[in-house]
Amino acid sequence: MIVLDGVGMTYRADSGPVEALRDITFRVEGGELVAVVGPSGCGKSTLLRIIAGLRPATAGRISVDGRVVSGPIPFVGMVFQAPVLLRWRRIIENVLLAAELAGLKRAEYRARADALLRLVGLADFGEKLPRELSGGMQQRAALCRALLLDPPLLLMDEPFGALDAMTRDELNLELLRVWGEGNRQRKTIVFVTHSIPEAVFLADRVVVMTPRPGRVASVVPVPLPRPRTIATRASADFGALTLQIHDALARTVA
Ligand SMILES: Nc1ncnc2c1ncn2[C@@H]1O[C@H](COP(=O)(O)OP(=O)(O)O)[C@@H](O)[C@H]1O
Ligand SMILES: [Mg+2]
C-alpha cells in the first residue's frame, strides 16, 4: 500500500537547512496498522505529510497504492493532535465538511455522518457546537470526519496525545473497532505517537525512529492476538514488547 524508498527531507529554513528525515525505507501493507514512534522533532509529522503528498520529499520515492506520490493523494483520512474543528459549525456540519471539501453532495453523506457519530457515541451531539464537547469528544468528531468518505488509508498524527490517559485508552479501543479488527476490509493506518504502550496496543508493527535526522532504527513486529482488549495491556507479552521498544529507542540516543 505504502512504499517509502530512501526518503529524505531537508527543510530550507532562514537559519539554514534542517535535515528532518534521512534514508527512510519501509513499506506498509494494505490493511496493516503501523505505529511510528520516535522522540519529539525526529520528523514524524514530516513523514506523514510526505506520505499524504502535502509536501514533496527532497530525496527518495514514495508510492501509495502503486502510484508515485507527487501531490496531495486522494482518498486519505487525516487526524491531527488538535481536533481542528471549525468552532462556528455544529458537529454534524464539521463531519460533513469532508464531503464538501471533496466537492461531493453533502446530503448524500448525511446518513453516513449520523451513523459514524453513533458509532463513536456522539449520536446526541451532532447539533452541538465544538465548544460544548470535551476534548475527547471533539477528537471523536474529527475521527468521524476523517472516516466520512471511507478512505482506505488513515494517517494519524498523535491524535490522542492531548487527551487524558483514560480517554486515550477508550479511543484506542474505538479506533480498533472502527478499523475493523477481525474483518477483512481493513483500512491501512499509519499512526504516529510518542507513547510506546499506545503503539504496542494498536499496531501490527512499530517503526522506531532515531532522533533528527529521523532514520528507521528498527521495526518491531507486534504478534499480540486480536481483538485486543484492556486485558491485553496486562499481559506479559505486552510488557516485554513495551520494554523492547523502549530499549530500541534508548539505543538510538546512546
Ligand atoms: N516547515 C518547516 N520548516 C523548517 N523546519 C521544519 C518545518 N517543519 C518541521 N521542521 C523541523 O523538522 C524537524 C522535524 O519536525 P517534525 O516532523 O514536526 O517532527 P516530530 O513530528 O517528530 O516532532 C524539526 O527539527 C522541526 O523543527
Ligand atoms: Mg509531530
Side-chain angles (χ1 to χ4, degrees), residues 95-178:
V95 175
L96 287 168
L97 191 63
E100 255 174 83
L101 291 177
L104 299 166
K105 289 211 185 72
R106 281 163 39 113
E108 287 173 16
Y109 287 87
R110 178 63 203 241
R112 178 165 165 83
D114 285 332
L116 284 167
L117 287 174
R118 259 197 315 279
L119 181 69
V120 302
L122 292 180
D124 298 331
F125 294 86
E127 299 305 319
K128 305 271 191 219
L129 289 167
R131 65 163 178 272
E132 299 175 89
L133 274 62
S134 69
M137 292 160 86
Q138 291 187 29
Q139 198 54 294
R140 286 188 169 94
L143 182 60
C144 290
R145 185 178 53 202
L147 292 170
L148 184 70
L149 304 182
D150 201 18
L153 174 62
L154 275 184
L155 301 177
M156 308 184 76
D157 193 356
E158 303 193 28
F160 310 138
L163 306 175
D164 63 86
M166 259 167 69
T167 308
R168 172 189 275 218
D169 289 355
E170 229 172 81
L171 285 184
N172 280 337
L173 281 167
E174 214 128 283
L175 175 65
L176 291 181
R177 207 149 52 86
V178 164

Side-chain angles (χ1 to χ4, degrees), residues 27-238:
R27 44 190 300 152
V28 180
E29 307 301 333
E32 200 181 14
L33 201 167
V34 167
V36 178
V37 298
S40 173
C42 76
K44 303 182 296 297
S45 297
T46 300
L47 185 65
L48 281 196
R49 283 199 290 270
I50 287 175
I51 294 172
L54 299 175
R55 235 177 208 291
T58 50
R61 273 163 68 95
I62 306 99
S63 67
V64 173
D65 231 356
R67 266 175 238 136
V68 173
V69 174
S70 59
I73 59 173
F75 310 124
V76 61
M78 297 197 71
V79 185
F80 304 94
Q81 178 164 7
V84 278
L85 300 173
L86 299 177
R87 63 189 155 73
W88 60 88
R89 278 190 166 219
R90 296 181 191 285
I91 293 300
I92 183 75
E93 302 296 326
N94 266 289
V95 175
L96 287 168
L97 191 63
E100 255 174 83
L101 291 177
L104 299 166
K105 289 211 185 72
R106 281 163 39 113
E108 287 173 16
Y109 287 87
R110 178 63 203 241
R112 178 165 165 83
D114 285 332
L116 284 167
L117 287 174
R118 259 197 315 279
L119 181 69
V120 302
L122 292 180
D124 298 331
F125 294 86
E127 299 305 319
K128 305 271 191 219
L129 289 167
R131 65 163 178 272
E132 299 175 89
L133 274 62
S134 69
M137 292 160 86
Q138 291 187 29
Q139 198 54 294
R140 286 188 169 94
L143 182 60
C144 290
R145 185 178 53 202
L147 292 170
L148 184 70
L149 304 182
D150 201 18
L153 174 62
L154 275 184
L155 301 177
M156 308 184 76
D157 193 356
E158 303 193 28
F160 310 138
L163 306 175
D164 63 86
M166 259 167 69
T167 308
R168 172 189 275 218
D169 289 355
E170 229 172 81
L171 285 184
N172 280 337
L173 281 167
E174 214 128 283
L175 175 65
L176 291 181
R177 207 149 52 86
V178 164
W179 178 52
E181 267 198 331
N183 89 37
R184 272 182 297 153
Q185 284 288 303
R186 277 181 188 169
K187 296 179 184 307
T188 307
I189 301 181
V190 181
F191 189 103
V192 165
T193 176
H194 54 239
S195 162
I196 298 171
E198 183 173 52
V200 172
F201 184 69
L202 294 173
D204 295 315
R205 287 186 299 148
V206 178
V207 174
V208 178
M209 289 178 66
T210 68
R212 194 175 68 79
R215 283 148 290 151
V216 176
S218 55
V219 179
V220 179
V222 182
L224 297 171
R226 297 189 185 273
R228 296 187 185 159
T229 65
I230 297 297
T232 304
R233 290 175 207 273
S235 70
D237 289 343
F238 185 88

